[in-house]
Structure formats: C-alpha cells, structure tokens
Amino acid sequence: MTQARFWSGSRVFSLVAVVLLAGSLRAGVTAFGPLAVRIGADVGLSATEVGALAALPVLAFGLFAVPTAPLARRLGFDRLALLSLIVLASGLALRLLMPAWSLWVGTALLGIGVATLNVLLPVLVKRDFAPNAPLVLGVTTCTMTGTAALGAGLAVVITDSTGGQWRLALAASLPVVIVAIALFAVRGWRDRLGVASSDHSPHVNIWRSPIAWSVTAYMALQSTVFYTFVNWMPTIEQSSGVSEANAGLHLAIAQLSGMPLGFLVAWLMNRSRDQRIIAISFLPITAIALLGGMFLPQLMPVWTVMIGLTTGMMLPVALGLISERAATAGDAARMSGMAQSIGYFCAGLGPIIGGGLFEATGGWVATLGLLLACVVGLVFAGLAAGRDRTLGAAPAER
C-alpha cells in the first residue's frame, strides 16, 4: 500500500481526532504541580493530602483501566472514547466551582475519563494506523508531552494574570477536550475506516503472560517516575530557592525538551523489531540527573530539564511496547488495560510516598532515591519487554 493511498481522507480525519484526544489527556494533571503549594495553602491541606490530591487521577487511571477492554467490546472503541471525553470535560468543569468538594470530585472524574482514554489511545492507533502505529504513537505522545508542558508552564501565568484564580488554570484544557468531543461525535457512532471494534482472535490469558507482565512493569515504573516528577519537582525546586513561576517554567521546558527525542524513539521503534536498546539507552541520563538532585541541589533546574528530557522518551516507548507486543487490536486492548491499571495504580502511590518521605525526613533526598530505584527497575523491565516477540506467538511466528 502506498503512503498516498494509506493516508485517505477518513484516515487523516482519524489522525486529527486521536491527536486531539491525546492533547486532552495530560494538561489537567500537570497543571496541578506548579500550583500545589498555593492550592494546599488555600484549601488547607497538608503535604500528604496535597500528594493524595495529586495522586487521585493517577490512582483512577489504574482503577478504571481494567474495565476498558470489556466496555470497548460492548460499546465500540469510538463510542467509549466519546463517553470518556464527556466525563473528562465534566471533571474539568467541576474544578471551576468554589466548594472544596468540587476540586476532589472534579479531579476524580478527570482521572476516570483519562483512565479509559489512556487505554484506548494505543488501541485506536494500532487498529487504524497499522503498520505505521509506532510512528503515529510518536505523534500522539509528543502531543501529550507538549500539552502537559503547556499545562505546567502556563499554570502560574494563568493564575497570576487572573488575580489568583488557580481553578481557571486547572481547567484551562477544557476547550481542547470540547473540540475532541465534537470530532468523536462525528466519527463515534460508526467505524470510518471499516474496521470492526470487536475482536475474534484466540483468547490469550495476559495475566499469565511474561510478555504482558514485562510491559506492565515498564509502564508502572515509567509512570511512577513521571507523575512523582511533575507533581513534586516544582516544589523541590522551590525548596532550593527557585521561585514558583520559574519552577513551573522549568517543568515546562523539561517536558518540551523531551518531545523531539520522544518522536525519535517512536520512529526508531517503527523501524526495529527488537526494542531493548531503545527502551533503556536513555535511562543513564535519568539516573545521573537524580543523583545530581540528591548531591548538588543548587543545580536543580539543570537536573529538572535532564529528567524531563528522558521522561519524554519513556511514554512513547511504553505505549509502543503495548502496540508491538500485541498481535491484534483486541490483544492490545487487554494488555493496555492490564499495563495501565497496574502501572498507574503503582504510579499513583508515587506522589503520596514522595510527600510522605519529605514529611518523615524533612528533605527530598529520599524521594529522589525512590525515583532512582524505579530507573534501575526500568532497565530490567526494558530488557524483558523489548524482545522481538508478541503475545501468544513465538518470535518466528510474528
């Protein structure tokens, strides 16, 4: 199939839709980190409670990822995506309200909507864009990284420019979600590419699959690093003398700096059957930056950018592994649900434990040490998950 024929009008429409879907997933989460101190002070939350609020969407990612595959079989991938976008928009809108409960409930709804969309994104890409799925995943993950960076970088700017209205900053991504809802409403009630949402491939018990568990471990560890990083690194910088606005700016720069390399690793995964080297090659940079933060905290802005550079590569690899280790869209949905449910549940503990370690020790060295241990684990998970094999098939059968 030629590239010109591959990119038909309906497939281009689908690309725009999934890119906007990807653009809806992270800004509402990352906007919280730079404002965590201010929100905690305004609402009257302890450091552990702020960590719990930061972790709430990530815990929802884990809890609500498992039902996604059976729901998708019943409703179809596109209809479920539309409903999840509506839930996400409702959560963002609730965050605009003044009562404290609306902040908690809105954040929970945001997490529920994103949980399902997290699972659906690699499945939609695998279904609609094979054999270019890893490359399209690179585009969508770069979009996620870019909007995450904007969410973090503009949070303080929006808050200060509106007289301290941080609720507006937390809900700033709502217009993007509304546009995504409109596009999925157009395509959501029928399959524009003529590919059925149901899957008739032989059932594979992913819970007994070493492949699925290795992919799950990679997803869990990289998510723990990312969400602990985005929620606490601005506060860590502020503790070393950096202003609130600059800490948010550094986080945005850190995430934007990872976008080109994130697309690069996606492109490399699209051209390689064995992705072990790709999955682990950048991890030494993360380890060096975490050690630097532990022993040279005066250079924390440098370490922040270095960590952001590498976390921008972790997510494309994690999502690419889900797509590449699954033989069918149905397998991808099941493995994506498993990897993201366990992965994000573990990741949700990261900000809570990070805040607890700070309260217990009075410093951030232990928190950074936790992330360093996760990076070591990523090396082993990447070596296992990156091997040329697919769920339920030997390498030679691929």
Side-chain angles (χ1 to χ4, degrees), residues 278-335:
I278 300 171
I280 68 171
S281 59
F282 51 86
L283 295 176
I285 300 173
T286 320
I288 291 170
L290 290 168
L291 288 169
M294 295 168 68
F295 297 106
L296 292 172
Q298 64 270 26
L299 298 178
M300 195 63 73
V302 175
W303 311 133
T304 297
V305 173
M306 289 176 64
I307 296 170
L309 193 73
T310 55
T311 55
M313 291 183 273
M314 290 178 189
L315 183 60
V317 171
L319 295 181
L321 289 172
I322 292 173
S323 177
E324 290 296 285
R325 299 289 83 84
T328 68
D331 285 345
R334 289 187 286 272
M335 184 153 55

